[in-house]
């Protein structure tokens, strides 16, 4: 065998070996490519979790954990100084199937040669899988309504009312109303991908929604209520309220059992300065008295009188100081001169008068 023949045989053998190796490699690549159909290629991640090389079942669990770890964290809600916590588990559904399919897709969409090159060299088929999930707006709306019901408070109008035989003066009070629509929008924004899966750790962990709470103004304020006179017959007291605040209290005399002071709601209808007394019962208890007494020291009404809407009944002064605090009048409220003069300056015609037992 000459040298040329030997060389040709060696070359043929080398070629045969090379072809055999190539054939083996291609066979391996084909088998590996087939077996890798359900394996995530290198360079694929979701929510910061690297899924490279994972089989579909393992990738599913890794995806679920990675997405849930960030997505299912409670959202804090601050409303009017109160703190609430929204649990996403009832409102959020994670689509693991869609994300698993997206993780496998780079291999499925790559050409055969690209897949072989990736398998042989480890070159990535990079893909950042976007988290896939759905928010149930109905759950968020129901939860926001629950918070609103807890926060909301009606405004209280100032009022003066008779409860049984007592008068209740209620001060005005502001209410509050939570903006439910704004809270729903804030909660929805807290589940936006750029918030939940932010690269900034503080943004991910600091999901807090501040609810908008507005004041509800009362329709009737304390100032609108104005002055109110309350006469307590049993205590022989006259109390003057300004709105819900007690402005002044005075002692008085009230009617005898035969001439009782009327109970109910009345109002001042006339203010009389240095009044003239007109005999109200010339044929009765006033039969031995003059028909009228002009202003002066002997006038039974004193220096001031405040007529109310009950016929013949008034607040007035008296010279019979000893009767103050007793049931001694013909139904009127007798007061010390300085007290009736003080009350006279503080009230106007139309001021409500409540007389209770």
């Amino acid at each position: 065998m000459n040298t040329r023949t030997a060389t040709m045989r060696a070359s043929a053998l080398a070629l045969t070996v090379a072809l055999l190796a190539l054939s083996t490699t291609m066979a391996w690549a084909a088998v590996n490519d087939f077996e890798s159909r359900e394996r995530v290629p290198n360079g694929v991640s979701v929510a910061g979790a690297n899924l490279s090389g994972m089989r579909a079942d393992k990738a599913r669990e890794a995806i679920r954990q990675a997405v849930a770890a960030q997505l299912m964290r409670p959202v804090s809600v601050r409303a009017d100084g109160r703190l609430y916590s929204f649990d996403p588990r009832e409102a959020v559904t994670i689509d693991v199937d869609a994300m698993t399919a997206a993780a496998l897709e780079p291999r499925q969409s790559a050409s055969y040669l690209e897949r072989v090159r990736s398998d042989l060299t480890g070159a990535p088929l990079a893909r950042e899988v976007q988290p896939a999930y759905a928010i149930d707006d109905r759950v968020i709306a129901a939860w926001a309504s629950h918070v609103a019901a807890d926060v909301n408070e009606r405004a209280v109008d100032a009022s003066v009312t008779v409860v049984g035989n007592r008068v209740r003066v209620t001060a005005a009070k502001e209410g509050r109303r939570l903006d439910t629509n704004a809270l729903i929008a804030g909660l929805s924004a807290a589940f936006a991908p750029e918030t939940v899966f932010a690269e900034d750790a503080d943004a991910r962990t600091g999901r807090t929604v501040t609810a908008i709470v507005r004041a509800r103004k009362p329709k009737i304020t304390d100032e609108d209520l104005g002055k109110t006179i309350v006469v307590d017959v049993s205590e022989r007291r006259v109390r003057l309220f300004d709105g819900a605040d007690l402005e002044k209290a005075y002692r008085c005399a009230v009617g005898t059992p035969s001439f009782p002071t009327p109970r109910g709601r009345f109002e001042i209808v006339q203010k009389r300065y240095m009044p003239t007394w007109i005999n109200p019962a010339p044929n009765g208890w006033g039969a031995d008295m003059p028909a009228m007494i002009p202003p002066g020291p002997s006038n039974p009404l004193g220096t001031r009188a405040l007529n109310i809407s009950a016929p013949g009944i008034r607040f007035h002064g008296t010279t019979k100081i000893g009767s103050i605090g007793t049931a001694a009048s013909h139904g009127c409220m007798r007061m010390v001169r300085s007290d009736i003069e003080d009350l006279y300056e503080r009230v106007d015609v139309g001021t409500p008068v409540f007389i209770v037992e």
Side-chain angles (χ1 to χ4, degrees):
M1 181 184 301
N2 58 34
T3 303
R4 179 179 179 82
T5 301
T7 300
M8 291 179 63
R9 287 183 177 180
S11 297
L13 179 60
L15 179 59
T16 300
V17 171
L19 290 173
L20 181 61
L22 178 60
S23 176
T24 301
T25 300
M26 292 182 66
W28 172 86
V31 171
N32 184 72
D33 184 58
F34 178 81
E35 291 179 346
S36 298
R37 297 189 322 276
E38 296 298 312
R39 189 184 296 276
V40 179
N42 291 334
V44 176
S45 62
V46 60
N50 187 355
L51 307 178
S52 299
M54 292 184 183
R55 290 192 174 277
D57 54 348
K58 187 176 180 180
R60 285 177 57 85
E61 183 58 24
I63 289 170
R64 187 191 65 77
Q65 291 184 8
V67 174
Q70 299 182 42
L71 189 60
M72 295 302 186
R73 286 177 292 106
V75 178
S76 296
V77 173
R78 299 186 184 278
D80 200 37
R82 306 181 188 188
L83 184 62
Y84 300 86
S85 181
F86 177 72
D87 188 344
R89 287 178 293 181
E90 294 185 5
V92 179
T93 302
I94 300 174
D95 194 344
V96 178
D97 290 339
M99 288 184 285
T100 302
L104 296 171
E105 196 275 335
R107 172 173 290 277
Q108 295 168 355
S109 62
S111 68
Y112 176 73
L113 291 179
E114 288 174 328
R115 297 198 300 271
V116 171
R117 184 173 68 86
S118 176
D119 292 338
L120 290 174
T121 66
L125 297 174
R127 171 73 62 85
E128 175 63 32
V129 176
Q130 296 303 309
Y133 56 94
I135 309 296
D136 191 334
D137 294 334
R138 296 170 301 176
V139 174
I140 289 181
W143 190 85
S145 296
H146 172 76
V147 173
D150 189 55
V151 171
N152 289 352
E153 187 175 330
R154 292 182 178 275
V156 177
D157 289 338
S159 64
V160 179
T161 55
V162 176
V163 181
N165 63 346
R166 309 299 296 176
V167 168
R168 176 182 296 165
V169 180
T170 302
K173 181 182 177 182
E174 279 192 351
R176 55 194 177 188
R177 183 182 65 82
L178 182 142
D179 189 329
T180 306
N181 290 334
L183 177 55
I184 292 172
L187 285 170
S188 297
F191 290 103
E194 59 269 23
T195 300
V196 180
F197 303 100
E199 293 182 3
D200 182 359
D202 291 336
R204 294 199 307 269
T205 58
R207 288 196 298 165
T208 300
V209 176
T210 300
I212 298 172
V213 180
R214 296 185 175 89
R216 282 177 165 173
K217 300 294 184 181
K219 294 179 181 178
I220 302 174
T221 65
D222 293 351
E223 292 73 21
D224 295 331
L225 199 60
K227 302 289 185 76
T228 304
I229 297 173
V230 178
V231 179
D232 190 315
V233 174
S234 62
E235 292 184 5
R236 277 66 158 165
R237 287 276 179 178
V238 175
R239 293 182 173 88
L240 175 64
F241 289 88
D242 185 1
D245 299 325
L246 178 64
E247 182 175 315
K248 202 72 182 286
Y250 315 88
R251 297 175 66 231
C252 70
V254 296
T256 65
S258 300
F259 299 96
T261 298
R263 275 65 161 174
R265 187 190 190 284
F266 309 97
E267 63 180 51
I268 294 174
V269 294
Q270 186 179 14
K271 295 178 64 173
R272 299 166 64 192
Y273 178 84
M274 301 301 290
T276 295
W277 180 79
I278 304 297
N279 191 329
N283 298 318
W285 59 265
D288 58 347
M289 300 180 71
M292 57 87 68
I293 301 176
S298 61
N299 189 301
L301 300 181
T303 60
R304 306 286 189 277
L306 296 168
N307 291 15
I308 68 173
S309 51
I313 305 299
R314 57 190 61 85
F315 298 88
H316 64 79
T318 183
T319 56
K320 298 179 180 180
I321 302 302
S323 69
I324 301 299
T326 69
S329 75
H330 289 90
C332 293
M333 285 67 69
R334 294 179 182 174
M335 300 175 68
V336 174
R337 173 179 172 176
S338 60
D339 286 348
I340 185 61
E341 289 180 352
D342 182 77
L343 179 62
Y344 183 94
E345 295 299 326
R346 293 174 184 267
V347 297
D348 297 314
V349 171
T351 299
V353 178
F354 290 87
I355 302 178
V356 297
E357 187 62 46

